[in-house]
Amino acid sequence: KNRSKIPFVLEDFRNRTSFYPMFTMMKSVASSCVSSLLLLLLLDVVLHTSAENATYGSSQDPSSYANVDYFRPSHISFDFAVNFVESTTSGTVTHTLTALPGAVSASNGIVYFDVWDAVEVSKAEFRTAADEVEAFEEVPFEITTPNPNIGNALAVTLPSSFVQDSAESEDDFFLRFTYSSLPSTTALSWLTPEQTAGKVHPFVYSLCQMNFCRDWAPIMDSPSQKITYDSVVVAPSELVVSMSGNMTSSTKLNETHSKTTFECTEKIPSYQLALIVGDLKTASLSDRVQVLAEEPYLEAAVKEFEDLPAVLDSTEAYLTPYIWGNYSIVVMPPSFPWGGMEHINANQVSHTLLPGDKSMLSIAIHEITHSWFGNDVGCQNWDNFWINEGMNVFMERKVLQ
């Protein structure tokens, strides 16, 4: 605090022989620390320079290969089947993208996505926004692993005709992948009937936070990019399908399977993509709040969460209108290892939130207020996850008051 006193302090250390060896050692350590710090700063500059020169990754999120500084995602269309026999999902995912001005030439005509080891990609296809749906053409792709800590980089080479025609304007286009997720995926948990409360049917659920959506399907897996989506899901008819969007239809496909469609018209980060398929029953708590649970948990869940409509109303009154349509809270099977996960309209909570005295209601409130903090306003990358959780804890406690 007073630099003029520093020489006298050092002289005093020298006069105290018992302290002087320690002081000498401290100088040596400090010198080493400064040298190490300078080396780290130099390395940081080199790495950032290399990242800026690379075509994969972006300035927005170090945990994703997606080159979103060049190509901006806006919408995803899923069309897949759930296979409980093989513990897989398979189908197509179509990305709507915008090439920003100068992006095609700056990126060498390559678009990067994130995948992990449990995603098999068999085909990549391209079409421009002006083409008809039938006009998809197959394009080459390559999967590499520049950094195993964040998975694999899926590089798609755009057609030369598109590269040549693209200039300084924004150009919209589509990329469609045919893919399968393998049983080893970290994004999906496949439960046997014995792991459920009902003990009759299997169950599957996704949990993609932080960056595990890339182990379910090829995607630009970064919270810095928000997208809308629609989905077609084929699953066994005896089971209920839920996703982080509003259900738009459910029809019988054949004697054994049904087709359920979903739509999310508000933009969400990729980790909010969610799938739940199981033997679930539904009970309405209000015109927009409902509980989904297996039969053994349903009655207790209705009683435990009967105050959630009032919670939603009071949060809206303090903040802004709830933008996600319906609100669904899903009581998960007993093997679900988390307290809760704030998926939009498919809010997963543990069955341990049903003690019978509403003493665990604060966790349900925490998940419902994530509809504003995290799901609507959230972090650009995982270095700033505190924005999601810190602000949400404040809101949770405000509601409890």
Side-chain angles (χ1 to χ4, degrees):
K1 292 182 179 180
N2 189 339
R3 296 188 179 189
S4 64
K5 293 183 178 181
I6 290 177
F8 301 100
V9 173
L10 297 183
E11 183 62 32
D12 186 55
F13 260 75
R14 291 190 184 96
N15 293 335
R16 301 184 186 195
T17 55
S18 60
F19 287 115
Y20 190 67
M22 180 182 71
F23 175 68
T24 304
M25 180 188 69
M26 288 169 62
K27 286 201 301 181
S28 176
V29 171
S31 177
S32 298
C33 288
V34 169
S35 299
S36 299
L37 179 60
L38 289 173
L39 181 61
L40 287 172
L41 288 172
L42 177 61
L43 180 61
D44 186 61
V45 170
V46 171
L47 288 175
H48 276 80
T49 302
S50 299
E52 289 171 1
N53 293 333
T55 54
Y56 64 80
S58 72
S59 62
Q60 303 177 52
D61 186 354
S63 67
S64 172
Y65 293 114
N67 49 350
V68 295
D69 290 335
Y70 300 140
F71 302 100
R72 193 66 48 79
S74 59
H75 187 80
I76 295 177
S77 291
F78 283 102
D79 190 340
F80 64 91
V82 178
N83 188 328
F84 279 100
V85 175
E86 298 181 1
S87 298
T88 63
T89 62
S90 58
T92 63
V93 55
T94 304
H95 296 266
T96 304
L97 299 135
T98 299
L100 301 179
V104 176
S105 58
S107 67
N108 298 318
I110 298 176
V111 187
Y112 281 90
F113 293 81
D114 298 297
V115 292
W116 222 305
D117 293 337
V119 172
E120 287 187 344
V121 180
S122 57
K123 184 189 295 186
E125 298 170 287
F126 166 91
R127 76 173 175 90
T128 67
D131 291 334
E132 297 296 328
V133 175
E134 294 79 9
F136 272 102
E137 62 175 294
E138 193 165 349
V139 289
F141 68 90
E142 181 184 19
I143 297 177
T144 59
T145 312
N147 179 0
N149 293 318
I150 62 172
N152 306 322
L154 170 59
V156 180
T157 302
L158 299 175
S160 57
S161 57
F162 182 74
V163 174
Q164 293 168 3
D165 293 342
S166 296
E168 296 303 313
S169 61
E170 291 190 356
D171 294 299
D172 294 337
F173 63 98
F174 302 91
L175 284 174
R176 181 171 67 188
F177 298 102
T178 302
Y179 76 97
S180 295
S181 66
L182 304 180
S184 58
T185 175
T186 53
L188 300 172
S189 294
W190 298 88
L191 308 183
T192 64
E194 291 73 25
Q195 293 174 296
T196 69
K199 310 296 184 185
V200 176
H201 297 286
F203 196 103
V204 64
Y205 67 89
S206 68
L207 209 161
C208 293
Q209 196 182 61
M210 308 293 194
N211 57 357
F212 297 114
C213 196
R214 66 192 67 179
D215 214 20
W216 176 9
I219 197 166
M220 290 184 164
D221 196 11
S222 169
S224 68
Q225 305 303 306
K226 292 190 174 184
I227 44 91
T228 55
Y229 85 93
D230 62 84
S231 184
V232 177
V233 185
V234 175
S237 298
E238 66 270 19
L239 303 179
V240 171
V241 180
S242 180
M243 291 194 75
S244 50
N246 290 286
M247 182 190 298
T248 53
S249 70
S250 181
T251 57
K252 192 84 169 177
L253 187 64
N254 53 42
E255 292 184 359
T256 59
H257 286 74
S258 296
K259 180 175 70 174
T260 310
T261 62
F262 297 87
E263 183 179 46
C264 182
T265 57
E266 298 290 341
K267 289 181 177 290
I268 62 171
S270 57
Y271 75 87
Q272 276 291 333
L273 292 167
L275 172 71
I276 303 171
V277 184
D279 186 17
L280 297 168
K281 311 299 180 185
T282 304
S284 295
L285 302 180
S286 71
D287 58 346
R288 59 175 177 170
V289 180
Q290 61 181 359
V291 173
L292 283 79
E294 294 183 83
E295 185 67 43
Y297 294 150
L298 187 62
E299 184 177 351
V302 169
K303 183 64 177 175
E304 204 76 22
F305 299 136
E306 62 183 357
D307 297 325
L308 287 187
V311 169
L312 191 59
D313 291 342
S314 62
T315 310
E316 280 187 308
Y318 185 74
L319 292 173
T320 58
Y322 178 78
I323 65 174
W324 307 107
N326 295 324
Y327 181 82
S328 300
I329 186 166
V330 185
V331 180
M332 301 298 285
S335 54
F336 182 70
W338 309 102
M341 178 59 206
E342 65 273 12
H343 291 132
I344 294 158
N345 209 20
N347 200 324
Q348 300 169 341
V349 295
S350 167
H351 75 291
T352 59
L353 270 62
L354 307 176
D357 59 1
K358 300 184 180 179
S359 60
M360 302 297 287
L361 186 61
S362 62
I363 297 178
I365 293 174
H366 178 92
E367 303 306 334
I368 203 171
T369 54
H370 263 307
S371 301
W372 284 265
F373 297 114
N375 299 357
D376 189 10
V377 178
C379 59
Q380 183 183 55
N381 54 55
W382 299 115
D383 291 343
N384 297 291
F385 189 42
W386 66 270
I387 294 174
N388 296 32
E389 294 299 334
M391 297 300 295
N392 193 58
V393 168
F394 164 80
M395 193 62 229
E396 166 201 335
R397 294 175 181 176
K398 186 71 177 178
V399 171
L400 282 170
Q401 288 179 349

